[in-house]
């Protein structure tokens, strides 16, 4: 993705004590040495010896005193100064050419004060030419003049240098301990010293004897090894050098023992060296940057658009996030370390620019966390952070966006504020830290383990979904995956309030994956089939409440979105229509007051019927079933009426008989309905016994006869002894007898007072006469 | 320099480390991470080192010669024990719990034999091994507490029966917990477990528990033999918690408890070592409550033990701490007389001596370690003043010492020494000294010659140490002279090779030595620089040198032949050592150098044929000391040129008559050696490789010189290799010659006639090309070359002249040809030969490359692939030279080499091999052109990729991918892109395109390749912006308007990967940006109509999934929030 390099102002230096002097020094002299303290709070500026007015300034951000020292011209001034990486309080060490080393500390009392001073080269006569601080060690290169009378720079003095090391560690509250001096190298030429976090680089300088100016050394104290490298020749050799074990090397012996280093060669022409964690960067006069790696190999990183103009101009190199940053004069070039590609070139408004190493991890301020790993750039205008930012707008939605979008909703719900939260606001606000944290977790950063434990299941599910999406897109027909998705989603939705979005989502799920969705519902409602072929549910009432909840007035869902009950019915209707009636029946049973069956809205069977379509277009059988199983008198009557119309006498009678004794009224209504039919035609005659059973017990024979009379067809003509051929035979008394007996018998049986002759009168041995058969 | 603190107490003894065993370990290759030392044992003769690889190295302590290598296949060596009463036996326990007893057969010069293998403790960890003191019996203890004994037949008595009659393993006892230590004395076995110590009478099979109180942890116990004369019963000391020790009598009854806690509060005594200056910290520590994991009887009166912090030596009978010193991380200590061999946890071994302070100073003086000697004197001045032996360390010695110190640097030290000298009381009063009870028992006399003779007052005294060995007073004066001179030879390496071992002396010191090796009379003499040698000695030296020539040359050859027995004296080889791995520990090499050189220039003239060369060499070496010469290639070449003329003169002048004298004898000797070598088959000689080469060279010389001496030298120079030296050259000179010759080769100074005054070679004068010259040079001076360095130099300086390399290899072949291993290497299949190479040839041998060459010549590529196991002894640059005719085969090697590394290290490993950087492109070109599919199947006529052609297999695809993924500069990356494109290596091409932000190109090609899987998965290349999606969709659209792509390579498309079409890409898009935005984008591109039902359905499910993810995010947000709040609270 196209990134854009940004320079973000971290501080305009006014946050630093002594800001004015700081600006002045930065702007004034490009040769000034700048170093940042490990915690990023302090800046050290030192004009090198030989400058007009050597000066030292230590400025600190926030509370904390600055240190400002000046040495009059003519007096020796410090050669170099370093911050010491001590956790407790800031400290720095100043080293003079004479070998004097002073440790200064701040923090205990007011301001900076000297803690200790030591002579690095006691005995005098030696001159420190370079010094570096490397992880609890002070390394310096001293010129020893014991033998050579000649001035420095003469051939005889060229190899009269030594490289020495002493450990430098904090001891106690306010002091430091310097270990013994170990000579790493003797009889060596003048070396420049550069330290990265783990390695010390000994590089040739302008005064190095040309015959050895193609060689540089890398000392890794941790490994106890020194690497001798000739980058131009592609040679590197590793030798042991562990001062703890008393190792020391004579430079001549060292080089003489290594093949290839004595053959003719040309000196390294390096404009600027820069130690980085990856190795040593070399900028040559052609503008090519090379990297000398810790294994001794050298590779070209890339070529700058501009080459340094002569040895004068200043250059600064640094790396961050796989990028090489190079400030040459007033241009900043950013190159990709992997491919050497020029990523960006910026022209700065000043050429007095210094690159600072990023603060040590773990020591940076809260506010610098987001600039972690980025380079810092100091100019008189302020302290900037060089980093990459993804350009706005063109970015595609990512997990991060989802998080912030969701976070909006999340916090909005909890917010008392009227104003709408936006993702942008959340992104840059520090009030809400959870979205930031979560976004970084989803992008692969590891959260604290306690949090990880809390989020484990969700994270696993989230990643599972990502995979699922990928599979889906890849055309993988793995149904199990989708089923699981649908089931989980339905289960989740059923736990929510099922309104708005949630309802829409439920609809989507049911449309896309009906089977799985129904399966999940089945589980959520804990539906079971009992022995009688009826459905039973053990789900808690509130689940049913959600499922059966209708549409509250004024909150009708948008078009096409069905309430849950309708949705279920529709789904069931599609998948397995025969289960719909028992389901509706069960639903009616589950309904409680205020909702479902007991509610003011439409009864459930009506809602279910509505799903089936407009009246007349519905599948009749299903409609009948629904009506019959609804248990509602009207519905049952409607169903029986329909059955009668269709002359399904059996079912009509069954429907009547199926009604329990709890609904005698409905039963008698059905009886009346059927009796009317019985009166009018003979097609029911075969079902007379059932009709008899349906006959309400309290019905007196007289009432029956009265009823019959109302339904009997009007006498059109005089009764004929024989029916006309083709015409229906009329109702006969023989047929009626059974009914009448039924009313009577029932009257007797159920009557409160039994006649003493009852058993004589009622002779069960004589069956009723068989009705005449149709011809 | 800081003032040296003075140790207030008068310590009589000190621990000193006079030599480092690091070179020995590195010669045994026990310093690698692969292999390290895991166990240690010592006897009078041997130092036994067991390794993690199951090998047991037996090193003859005398001269640190590696004598035997016994290998075991049953895991690392966990314990070793040398039989103390018979040096010919050693017992070993492996990590699998097997115990093997070896008979070394040294006296009969036979092969070592396994006498007994006991699997009694198999599967357990053997924690202690201990030999009987009288018979051949080994006691074994394991971590479960079982103790067994293996009794062996002495094969000397019943050799034949040994194989059949074996005593069974006898289980002695099983104690309650892990056996910590075993010790044996006079029929009693002392067993220390984690809880207590047990005493066991092995004859009567009686057991005693020692003491009532139990303890918990590793505490040791040892016997403390009684004084032989006093008839005193032996004692037992058992370690107890809290720095306590029980003193127990021989019947197991606790007599008393000694408490050392308070006594140990004194600051530790520095160890005198060449590695660093002694440090003493006055601040007394608190009392130390320690537990001692093992107790060892040491030096008659002492008991030694250690903790992770230091070594502690007690005189338990006096309840006295002799000393304690900080020596960290000790795993085990082996003790022999006053010598300590400490095995450290990291596998290093250090050799310390318990030595009296004055003896220590004495030895430092003898070695000229002035600074250290002075420091030690000052540090221990109380001891020195109190010392009765001030006759040894006289005031004038101290004066001399003072005079040796450099006034500039050691001012403080000198003044301290002066004070010390002032404090010296008159000698008489010194006799009544306050020395501790175990002062050494020597007296001494001063001979006329100025030799201080130290005489043991008592036979069997064990308080002395190696080179200060005792001289019997029965030696005649004459013999003393002989010894003196031979010693002198030894000390002055340039006069002779300095390799006279003991055996040499035996030959011309016809005194009957006592057979007890303990009492071996080593030549002893102090090269006293502070006394001029007496006239007698000088005379003797002259006489010696006059008569020595013939003897010397023959002897030299003889000595060289018997090189396995040569004595290596690291301290005399400062120069060479510093060329090797470690820095020489000499504090003032400069002075030594010049001293040696003086010696070089002043031997009696008539004996040395190389007089002129010697002078020239010394001169050249001196010049090389000057950095202005060394680092100025013109002047360096001049010096070499000048020197080369002398060399040419010397060896051109040489008639071989002188050598022929020696031929017979050398022949004889040589045959002996061969016999010896054969009889010692399987014994690895890991001596200094130079000497090995010498010996090889001389073996060669048997046939070589025999025929060469009839040739004219010129002829031989042209056609034949001068493999061996035509005559003996002293080793010091030899080293210098080797260095200079090799430098000549490296710097192309091949002919003294070429005067390179103006810096370039005048070719008109010389018909020969430098290549031919180099070959001639190699042939002429092969015997002088430092072979390893020469190999490197040839690769660097003659990289374009394969003939130079070939010539060099020819030379090595000739050199190796007489080696039995070389002969053996001509037989068998590749694995056999590799095994042989692995076992028989040290990896650092310069001949290794010859064996590799032979394998390659015979087996070709498969041999190369198997050579990876010799990395880094054989480097890729060697292989390049090896197969310069068939670069393809190099690639096979490289591929295997890279694959031999763990997956995650391959890239960085490959990168480290890629020097110079230009190799990247060379190797890439090679890799894409080998074992590659035909270009017609990778691209169509227009150069576009054929569908699915990225799935074709490439022989070196992994290597190619590694190469192109390495970071490089832009130009290189672009070139790589072109290479991949032009040969149709599409996977690499795509990677590079995307890395170089050539995304349009990449997507175009992906569409051509027509494989959706390229865009799927974690490593898929997916468009990152809306613009890129549009681009991709347009590319697909335009593709579909073109004529249908040809059938895929693997037959029908349906079997292959899913094709790139609108639908598939639309799905991907829907996943990337959500179904709704995808839909609108597709509509924008006019593609919406082409989409199927499936797309809609998929979108639906995607929507569900996304919603679900959002729901998960919600719940995670909630948890995060809660968590963060709880953190704040």
């Amino acid at each position: 993705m196209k990134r854009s390099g940004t320079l973000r102002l971290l501080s305009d230096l006014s946050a630093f004590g002594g800001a004015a002097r700081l600006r002045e020094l930065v702007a004034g002299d490009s040769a000034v040495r700048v170093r940042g303290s490990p915690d990023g709070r302090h800046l050290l500026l030192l004009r090198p010896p030989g400058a007009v007015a050597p000066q030292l300034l230590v400025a600190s951000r926030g509370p904390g005193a600055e240190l400002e020292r000046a040495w009059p011209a003519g007096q020796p001034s410090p050669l170099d100064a370093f911050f010491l990486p001590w956790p407790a309080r800031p400290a720095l060490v100043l080293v003079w050419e004479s070998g004097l080393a002073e440790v200064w500390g701040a923090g205990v009392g007011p301001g900076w004060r000297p803690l200790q001073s030591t002579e690095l080269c006691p005995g005098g006569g030696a001159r420190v030419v370079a010094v570096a601080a490397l992880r609890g060690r002070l390394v310096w290169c001293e010129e020893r003049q014991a033998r050579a009378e000649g001035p420095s720079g003469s051939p005889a003095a060229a190899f009269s240098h030594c490289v020495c090391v002493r450990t430098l560690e904090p001891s106690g509250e306010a002091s430091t301990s310097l270990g013994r001096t170990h000579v790493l190298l003797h009889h060596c030429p003048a070396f420049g010293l550069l330290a990265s976090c783990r390695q010390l680089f000994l590089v040739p300088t302008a005064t190095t004897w040309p015959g050895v100016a193609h060689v540089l050394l890398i000392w890794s104290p941790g490994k106890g090894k020194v690497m001798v490298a000739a980058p131009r020749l592609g040679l590197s050799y590793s030798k042991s050098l562990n001062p703890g074990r008393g190792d020391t090397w004579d430079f001549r012996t060292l080089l003489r023992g290594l093949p290839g280093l004595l053959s003719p060669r040309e000196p390294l022409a390096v404009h600027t060296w820069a130690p980085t964690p990856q190795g040593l960067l070399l900028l040559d006069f052609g503008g090519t940057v090379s990297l000398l790696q810790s294994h001794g190999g050298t590779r070209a990183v890339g070529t700058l658009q501009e080459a340094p103009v002569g040895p004068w101009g200043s250059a600064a190199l640094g790396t961050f996030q796989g990028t090489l940053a190079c400030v040459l004069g007033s241009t900043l070039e950013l190159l990709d370390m992997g491919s050497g590609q020029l990523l960006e070139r910026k022209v700065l408004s000043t050429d007095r620019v210094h690159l600072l190493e990023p603060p040590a991890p773990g020591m940076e301020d809260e506010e610098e966390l987001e600039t972690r790993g980025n380079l810092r750039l100091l100019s008189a205008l302020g302290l900037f952070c060089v980093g990459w930012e993804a350009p706005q707008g063109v970015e595609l939605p990512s997990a991060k966006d989802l998080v912030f979008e969701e976070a909006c909703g999340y916090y909005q719900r909890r917010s008392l504020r009227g104003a709408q939260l936006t993702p942008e606001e959340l992104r840059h606000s520090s009030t809400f830290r959870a979205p930031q944290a979560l976004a970084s977790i989803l992008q692969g950063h590891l959260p604290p383990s306690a949090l990880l434990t809390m989020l484990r299941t969700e994270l696993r599910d989230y990643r599972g979904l990502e995979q699922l999406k990928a599979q889906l897109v890849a055309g993988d027909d793995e149904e199990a995956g989708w089923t699981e998705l649908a089931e989980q989603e339905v289960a989740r939705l059923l736990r929510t309030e099922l309104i708005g979005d949630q309802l829409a989502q439920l609809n989507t799920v049911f449309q896309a994956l009906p089977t799985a969705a129904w399966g999940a519902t089945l589980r959520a409602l804990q539906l079971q089939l009992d022995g009688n072929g009826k459905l039973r549910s053990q789900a808690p009432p509130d689940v049913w409440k959600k499922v059966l909840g209708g549409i509250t007035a004024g909150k009708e869902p948008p078009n096409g979105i069905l309430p849950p009950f309708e949705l279920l019915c529709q789904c069931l209707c599609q998948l397995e229509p025969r289960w719909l009636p028992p389901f509706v029946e069960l639903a009616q049973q589950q309904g409680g007051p205020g909702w479902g069956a007991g509610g003011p809205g439409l009864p459930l069977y009506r809602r279910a019927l509505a799903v089936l379509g407009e009246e007349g277009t519905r599948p009749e059988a299903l409609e009948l079933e629904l009506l019959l199983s609804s248990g509602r008198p009207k519905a049952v009557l409607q169903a029986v009426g329909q059955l009668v119309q269709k002359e399904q006498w059996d079912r009509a009678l069954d429907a009547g008989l199926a009604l329990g004794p709890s609904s005698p009224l409905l039963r008698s209504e059905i009886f009346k309905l059927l009796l009317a039919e019985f009166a009018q035609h003979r097609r029911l005659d075969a079902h007379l016994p059932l009709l008899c059973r349906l006959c309400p017990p309290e019905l007196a024979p007289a009432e029956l006869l009265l009823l019959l009379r109302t339904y009997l067809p009007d006498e059109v003509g005089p009764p004929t002894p024989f029916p006309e051929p083709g015409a229906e035979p009329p109702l006969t008394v023989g047929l009626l007898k059974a009914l009448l007996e039924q009313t009577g018998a029932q009257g007797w049986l159920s009557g409160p007072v039994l006649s003493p002759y009852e058993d004589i009168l009622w002779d069960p041995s004589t069956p009723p006469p068989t009705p005449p058969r149709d011809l | 320099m800081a003032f040296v603190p003075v140790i207030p107490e008068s310590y009589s003894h000190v621990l000193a480390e006079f030599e480092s065993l690091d070179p020995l370990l590195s010669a045994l290759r026990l310093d690698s991470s692969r292999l390290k030392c895991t166990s240690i044992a010592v006897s009078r003769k041997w130092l036994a080192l067991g390794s993690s690889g199951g090998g047991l190295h037996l090193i003859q302590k005398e001269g640190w010669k590696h004598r035997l290598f016994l290998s075991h296949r049953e895991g690392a060596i966990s314990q070793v024990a040398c039989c103390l009463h018979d040096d010919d036996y050693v017992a070993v326990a492996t990590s699998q719990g097997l115990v093997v007893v070896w008979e070394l057969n040294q006296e009969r010069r036979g092969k070592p034999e396994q006498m007994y293998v006991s699997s009694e403790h198999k599967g357990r960890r053997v924690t202690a091994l201990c030999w009987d003191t009288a018979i051949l019996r080994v006691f074994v203890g394991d971590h479960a507490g079982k103790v067994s004994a293996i009794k062996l037949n002495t094969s000397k008595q019943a050799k034949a029966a040994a194989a059949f009659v074996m005593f069974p393993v006898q289980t002695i006892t099983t104690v309650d917990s892990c056996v910590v230590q075993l010790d044996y004395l006079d029929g009693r076995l002392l067993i220390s477990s984690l809880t207590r110590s047990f005493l066991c009478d092995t004859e009567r099979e009686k057991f005693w528990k020692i003491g009532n109180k139990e303890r918990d942890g590793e505490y040791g116990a040892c016997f403390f033999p009684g004084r032989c004369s006093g008839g005193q019963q032996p004692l037992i000391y058992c370690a107890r918690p809290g720095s306590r020790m029980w003193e127990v009598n021989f019947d197991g009854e606790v007599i008393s408890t000694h408490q050392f806690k308070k006594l140990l509060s004194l600051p530790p005594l520095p160890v005198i070592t060449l590695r660093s200056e002694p440090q003493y910290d006055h601040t007394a520590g608190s009392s130390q409550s320690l537990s001692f994991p093992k107790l060892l009887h040491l030096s008659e009166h002492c008991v030694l033990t250690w903790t992770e912090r230091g070594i502690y030596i007690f005189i338990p009978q006096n309840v006295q701490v002799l000393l304690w010193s900080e020596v960290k991380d000790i795993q085990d200590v082996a003790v022999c007389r006053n010598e300590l061999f400490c095995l450290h946890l990291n596998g290093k071994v250090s050799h310390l001596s318990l030595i009296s302070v004055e003896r220590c100073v004495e030895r430092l003086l003898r070695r000229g370690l002035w600074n250290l000697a002075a420091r030690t004197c000052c540090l221990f001045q109380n001891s020195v003043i109190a010392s009765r032996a001030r006759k040894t360390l006289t005031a004038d010695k101290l004066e001399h010492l003072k005079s040796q110190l450099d006034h500039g640097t050691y001012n403080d030290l000198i003044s301290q020494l002066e004070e010390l000298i002032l404090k010296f009381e008159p000698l008489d009063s010194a006799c009544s000294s306050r020395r501790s009870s175990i002062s050494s028992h020597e007296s001494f006399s001063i001979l006329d010659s100025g030799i201080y003779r130290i005489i043991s007052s008592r036979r069997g005294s064990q308080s002395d140490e190696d080179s200060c060995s005792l001289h019997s007073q029965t030696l005649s004066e004459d013999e003393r002279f002989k010894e003196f001179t031979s010693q002198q030879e030894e000390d002055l390496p340039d006069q002779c090779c300095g390799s006279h071992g003991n055996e040499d002396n035996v030959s011309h010191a016809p005194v009957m030595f006592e057979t007890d090796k303990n009492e071996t009379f080593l030549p002893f003499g102090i090269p006293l620089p502070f006394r001029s040698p007496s006239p007698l000695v000088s005379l003797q030296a002259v006489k010696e040198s006059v008569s020595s020539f013939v003897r010397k040359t023959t002897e030299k050859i003889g000595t060289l032949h018997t090189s396995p027995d040569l004595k290596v004296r690291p301290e005399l080889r400062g120069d060479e050592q510093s060329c090797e791995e470690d820095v020489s520990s000499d504090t003032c090499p400069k002075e030594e150098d010049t001293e040696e050189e003086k010696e070089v220039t002043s031997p009696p003239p008539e004996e040395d044929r190389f007089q002129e060369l010697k002078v020239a060499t010394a001169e050249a070496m001196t010049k090389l000391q000057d950095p202005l010469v060394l680092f100025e290639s013109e002047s360096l070449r001049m010096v070499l040129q000048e020197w080369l003329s002398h060399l040419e003169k010397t060896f051109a002048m040489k008639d071989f008559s002188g050598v022929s004298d020696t031929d017979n004898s050398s022949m004889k000797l040589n045959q002996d050696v061969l016999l010896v070598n054969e009889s010692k088959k399987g014994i690895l000689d890991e001596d200094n490789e130079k000497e090995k080469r010498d010996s090889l060279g001389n073996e060669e010389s048997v046939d070589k010189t025999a025929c060469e001496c009839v040739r004219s030298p010129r002829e031989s120079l042209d056609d034949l290799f001068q493999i061996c030296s035509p005559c003996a050259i002293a080793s010091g000179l030899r080293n210098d010659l080797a260095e200079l010759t090799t430098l000549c080769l490296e710097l192309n100074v091949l002919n003294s006639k070429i005067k390179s005054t103006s810096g370039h070679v005048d070719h008109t004068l010389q018909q020969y090309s430098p290549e031919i010259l180099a070959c001639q040079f190699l042939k002429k001076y092969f015997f002088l070359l430092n072979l390893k360095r020469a190999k490197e130099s040839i690769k660097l300086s003659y990289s374009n002249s394969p003939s130079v390399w070939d010539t060099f290899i020819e030379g090595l072949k000739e050199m190796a040809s007489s080696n039995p291993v070389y002969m053996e290497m001509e037989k068998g299949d590749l694995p056999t030969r590799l095994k042989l190479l692995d076992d028989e040839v040290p990896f650092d041998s310069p001949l290794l490359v010859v064996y590799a060459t032979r394998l390659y010549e015979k087996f070709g590529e498969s041999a190369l692939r198997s050579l990876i196991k010799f990395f880094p002894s054989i480097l890729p640059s060697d292989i390049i030279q090896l197969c310069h005719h068939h670069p393809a085969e190099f690639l096979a090697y490289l591929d295997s080499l890279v694959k031999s590394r763990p997956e995650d290290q391959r890239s960085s490993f490959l990168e480290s091999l890629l020097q110079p950087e230009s190799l990247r492109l060379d190797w890439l070109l090679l890799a894409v052109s080998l074992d590659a599919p035909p270009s017609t199947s990778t691209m169509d006529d227009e150069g576009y990729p054929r569908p699915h052609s990225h799935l074709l297999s490439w022989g070196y695809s992994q290597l190619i991918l590694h190469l192109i993924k390495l970071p490089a500069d832009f130009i290189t990356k672009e070139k790589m892109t072109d290479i991949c494109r032009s040969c149709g290596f599409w996977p690499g091409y795509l990677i590079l395109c995307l890395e170089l932000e050539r995304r349009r190109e990449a997507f175009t090609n992906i569409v051509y390749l027509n494989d959706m899987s390229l865009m799927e998965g974690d490593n898929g290349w997916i468009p990152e912006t809306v613009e890129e999606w549009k681009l991709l969709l347009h590319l697909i659209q335009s593709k579909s308007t073109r004529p249908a792509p040809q059938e895929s390579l693997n037959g029908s498309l349906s079997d292959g990967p899913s094709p790139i079409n609108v639908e598939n890409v639309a799905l991907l898009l829907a996943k990337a940006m959500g179904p709704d935005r995808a839909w609108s984008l597709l509509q924008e591109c006019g593609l919406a109509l082409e989409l199927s039902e499936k797309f809609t359905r998929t979108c639906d499910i995607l929507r569900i999934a996304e919603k679900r993810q959002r729901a998960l995010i919600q719940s995670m947000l909630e948890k995060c929030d809660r968590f963060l709040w709880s953190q704040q609270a």
Side-chain angles (χ1 to χ4, degrees), chain A residues 237-258:
Chain A
Y237 300 97
S238 179
K239 290 277 173 191
S240 90
L241 178 57
N242 187 348
R245 291 201 331 227
D247 288 358
T248 175
W249 275 107
D250 185 313
F251 183 74
R252 301 164 299 180
T253 321
L254 182 64
L255 255 62
R256 213 168 79 183
L258 301 172

Side-chain angles (χ1 to χ4, degrees), chain B residues 436-506:
Chain B
S436 70
S437 62
I438 54 146
S439 60
S440 40
H441 306 279
E442 322 88 359
S443 63
F444 50 90
S445 66
I446 304 171
L447 299 180
D448 290 347
S449 59
I451 301 169
Y452 281 78
R453 175 182 298 287
I454 296 151
I455 301 153
S456 168
S457 61
R458 234 165 29 133
R459 274 213 46 207
S461 159
Q462 299 197 328
S463 63
D464 220 313
E465 63 295 322
D466 55 359
S467 64
C468 292
S469 49
L470 318 169
H471 265 227
S472 160
Q473 282 164 309
T474 56
L475 277 177
S476 73
E477 202 73 352
D478 216 353
E479 281 139 17
R480 277 181 220 140
F481 286 137
K482 278 185 182 159
E483 280 168 40
F484 178 66
T485 40
S486 65
Q487 178 64 31
Q488 220 173 25
E489 280 168 14
E490 203 172 307
D491 278 348
L492 306 172
D494 282 325
Q495 195 170 23
C496 72
C497 68
S499 55
H500 284 260
N502 198 21
E503 286 163 40
D504 258 354
N505 289 301
V506 173

Side-chain angles (χ1 to χ4, degrees), chain A residues 149-228:
Chain A
E149 294 296 306
S152 65
S154 78
F159 289 91
S160 60
H161 295 77
C162 283
V163 178
C164 310
V165 62
R166 287 178 84 166
T167 53
L168 181 60
E169 281 157 356
S171 82
E173 263 305 295
S175 74
T176 55
S177 79
L178 270 162
R180 281 190 309 145
T181 304
H182 288 286
V183 181
L184 295 177
L185 275 179
H186 40 254
H187 295 119
C188 64
F191 275 125
L193 304 180
L194 300 157
S196 74
C197 48
R198 281 189 206 91
Q199 289 163 325
L200 178 81
F201 302 98
L202 294 89
V203 300
T205 63
T207 56
T208 304
W209 186 256
V212 289
H214 65 300
V215 174
L216 57 86
L217 280 71
I218 308 167
W219 179 48
S220 313
K223 296 184 197 154
K225 296 269 181 204
V226 65
M227 175 90 67
V228 184

Side-chain angles (χ1 to χ4, degrees), chain A residues 678 682 684-689 732 734-736 738 768-774:
Chain A
F678 178 70
R682 302 273 57 81
L684 245 167
D685 286 2
H687 306 281
L688 190 63
T732 60
L735 284 170
L736 255 179
T770 31
R773 289 190 165 183
D774 292 341

